[in-house]
């Protein structure tokens, strides 16, 4: 259905067509070219901290390649934050590996360090040491990186940092998207900046980036003819979509400010509504507030608000349904406390686009209050 006010829509900056036109003028209409290289440079400069970035066709592709580079193979187990979008987990199954779900902590809504350690110990005791930990900065809120990193170090299990929702967020002043052994970004149409569809893998060495690009371009050996010693993928970003990305990078900081302002405005105007709570940053975390989310007092209350908004053609959405509750993943192991299920029952994402007007926000607030 078409809404009057959407959850999160693309918001062009104005310079995107300049980069697309130059691709056409130079006939770089291919999954490589100056825009791909330029977009990667822009991301590396933004992320800092010795970042090496490979621009890819999607965040899901970046997750898939991360798991391959982490050495995940058929039959292996991979720990996954249960509270997330399915794309965080699907690539585990592409490899014939098994996700092991870990529930969330109450504060950040992200993977619980206590449950993570319990899960790692238990899997090891069963002779199945996990090959990777997929942790997610949900809605832009950083996960408890120091605690997760400590466990990752102690048991020598790499972190795949799913920062698809968290470009511009920070943990202790460090950019999300630079914290994991492998870090994943997404530029899908609903994200804080978009290339229509696209993603990126950030790693800490040039060598790893080269390997990612090699795998993303059909794993061609260095030979004058097409020779392959490994299975490859067609995962490189198009030079056209990378042009959109270069234009979007020029306005990324404005987009972060606008999303954070949306959240603040909702918080100021809805805090006095009984039973509505807002997720808060702690002293370590800075959220890009990709989506403005609220917690209501009950599932009934949440549905009441959602349906009221729907009647006025305003899009809102319950929080991600945890993976351990998904029909497609029902046969996998989980270390579950009930926190994510409760968040799913009571939480709602409100319209959050950086292109929403003050009138749009007032309209949402008014409907919730009435
Ligand atoms: C959007 C998203 C992805 C997937 O990114 P795509 O570019 O759509 O493939 C992965 N994880 C999370 C948490 C996301 O929100």
């Amino acid at each position: 259905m078409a809404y009057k006010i959407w959850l999160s829509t693309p918001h062009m900056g104005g310079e995107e067509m300049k980069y697309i036109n130059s691709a056409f003028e130079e006939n770089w209409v291919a999954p490589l070219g100056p825009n791909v290289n330029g977009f990667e440079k822009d991301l590396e400069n933004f992320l800092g901290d010795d970042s090496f970035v490979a621009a890819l066709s999607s965040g899901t592709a970046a997750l898939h390649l991360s798991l391959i580079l982490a050495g995940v193979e058929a039959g292996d187990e991979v720990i996954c934050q249960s509270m997330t979008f399915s794309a965080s987990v699907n690539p585990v199954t592409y490899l014939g590996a098994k996700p092991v779900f870990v529930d969330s902590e109450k504060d950040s809504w992200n993977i619980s360090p206590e449950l993570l350690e319990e899960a790692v110990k238990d899997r090891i005791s069963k002779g199945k040491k996990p090959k990777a930990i997929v942790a997610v900065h949900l809605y832009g809120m950083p996960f408890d990186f120091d605690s997760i990193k400590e466990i990752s170090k102690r048991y020598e299990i790499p972190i795949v940092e799913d920062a698809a929702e968290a470009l511009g967020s920070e943990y202790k002043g460090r950019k999300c998207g630079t914290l994991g052994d492998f870090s994943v970004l997404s530029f899908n149409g609903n994200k804080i900046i978009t290339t229509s569809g696209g993603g990126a893998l950030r790693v800490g060495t040039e060598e790893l980036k080269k390997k990612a690009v090699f795998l993303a371009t059909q794993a061609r050996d260095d030979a004058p003819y097409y020779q392959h010693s490994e299975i490859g993928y067609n995962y490189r970003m198009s030079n056209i979509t990378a042009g959109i990305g270069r234009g979007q990078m020029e306005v990324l900081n404005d987009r972060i400010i606008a999303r954070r302002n949306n959240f603040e405005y909702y918080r100021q105007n809805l805090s006095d509504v009984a039973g509505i709570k807002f997720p808060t940053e702690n002293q370590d975390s800075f959220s890009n507030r990709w989506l403005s989310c609220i917690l209501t007092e009950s599932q009934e209350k949440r549905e009441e608000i959602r349906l009221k908004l729907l009647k006025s053609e305003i899009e809102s959405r319950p929080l991600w349904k945890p993976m351990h509750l998904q029909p497609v993943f029902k046969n996998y192991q989980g270390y579950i406390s009930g926190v994510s299920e409760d968040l799913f029952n009571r939480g709602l994402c409100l319209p959050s686009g950086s292109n929403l007007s003050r009138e749009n926000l007032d309209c949402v607030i008014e409907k919730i209050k009435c």
Side-chain angles (χ1 to χ4, degrees), residues 58-60 63 84-85 87-88 136 162 164-165 186-188 191 198 320:
S58 69
T60 309
L63 279 151
T84 186
F85 177 51
S88 309
V136 190
D162 184 343
E165 302 177 359
S186 168
F187 312 108
N188 209 319
K191 299 300 198 302
W320 299 125

Side-chain angles (χ1 to χ4, degrees), residues 322-349:
M323 294 302 114
H324 72 274
L325 299 175
Q326 297 287 354
V328 71
F329 294 128
K330 68 176 187 300
N331 293 327
Y332 295 106
Q333 290 275 336
Y335 295 79
I336 303 303
S337 60
V339 168
S340 63
E341 184 168 4
D342 179 53
L343 291 167
F344 168 61
N345 286 336
R346 295 192 292 122
L348 192 67
C349 306

Side-chain angles (χ1 to χ4, degrees), residues 193-347:
I193 61 167
T194 183
T195 58
S196 70
L201 173 59
R202 183 272 182 197
V203 287
T205 67
E206 175 122 51
E207 197 187 337
L208 269 174
K209 171 179 169 173
K210 275 200 182 132
K211 181 79 201 215
V213 171
F214 168 78
L215 291 172
T217 50
Q218 308 288 22
R220 287 162 54 184
D221 291 344
D222 190 12
Y225 36 82
Y226 277 34
Q227 175 178 295
H228 309 271
S229 311
E230 278 183 69
I231 296 295
Y233 301 85
N234 183 6
Y235 277 172
R236 201 72 165 117
M237 180 177 275
S238 143
N239 194 55
I240 306 298
T241 57
I244 308 176
R246 289 180 87 181
Q248 290 273 279
M249 284 305 287
E250 296 182 12
V251 292
L252 173 55
N253 285 320
D254 299 335
R255 301 296 179 260
I256 298 164
I257 292 167
R259 297 247 176 191
R260 285 180 60 84
N261 284 345
N262 286 342
F263 177 87
E264 263 317 302
Y265 195 69
Y266 281 131
R267 202 171 61 88
Q268 277 166 19
N269 288 282
L270 290 171
S271 291
D272 55 341
V273 177
I276 292 186
K277 290 209 175 70
F278 288 82
T280 51
E281 295 166 318
N282 62 28
Q283 73 278 4
D284 298 332
S285 59
F286 174 89
S287 171
N288 68 3
R289 298 292 187 192
W290 171 56
L291 293 186
S292 289
C293 305
I294 57 172
L295 265 192
T296 64
E297 63 203 2
S298 65
Q299 188 171 12
E300 293 68 40
K301 191 73 201 167
R302 197 277 311 280
E303 278 304 278
E304 191 188 308
I305 294 174
R306 189 180 69 80
L307 293 171
K308 258 196 308 205
L309 293 174
L310 186 63
K311 229 168 89 187
S312 304
E313 296 173 75
I314 298 169
E315 187 185 22
S316 67
R317 194 184 298 144
L319 303 189
W320 299 125
K321 179 170 181 169
M323 294 302 114
H324 72 274
L325 299 175
Q326 297 287 354
V328 71
F329 294 128
K330 68 176 187 300
N331 293 327
Y332 295 106
Q333 290 275 336
Y335 295 79
I336 303 303
S337 60
V339 168
S340 63
E341 184 168 4
D342 179 53
L343 291 167
F344 168 61
N345 286 336
R346 295 192 292 122

Side-chain angles (χ1 to χ4, degrees), residues 146-191:
D146 279 354
S147 304
I148 305 301
K149 180 72 188 173
E150 198 187 300
I151 297 166
S152 151
K153 264 198 195 145
R154 188 170 333 131
Y155 297 95
E156 299 181 321
I157 307 172
I159 297 174
V160 175
E161 178 195 10
D162 184 343
E165 302 177 359
L167 183 60
S169 297
E170 294 174 16
Y171 177 86
K172 292 193 175 171
R174 293 173 64 191
K175 290 261 180 346
C176 291
T178 66
L179 304 172
D181 297 279
F182 307 93
S183 301
V184 170
L185 300 172
S186 168
F187 312 108
N188 209 319
N190 59 350
K191 299 300 198 302

Side-chain angles (χ1 to χ4, degrees), residues 344-362:
F344 168 61
N345 286 336
R346 295 192 292 122
L348 192 67
C349 306
L350 300 177
S352 303
S354 48
N355 46 8
L356 291 175
S357 64
R358 185 53 61 94
E359 289 70 39
N360 291 150
L361 296 176
D362 282 334

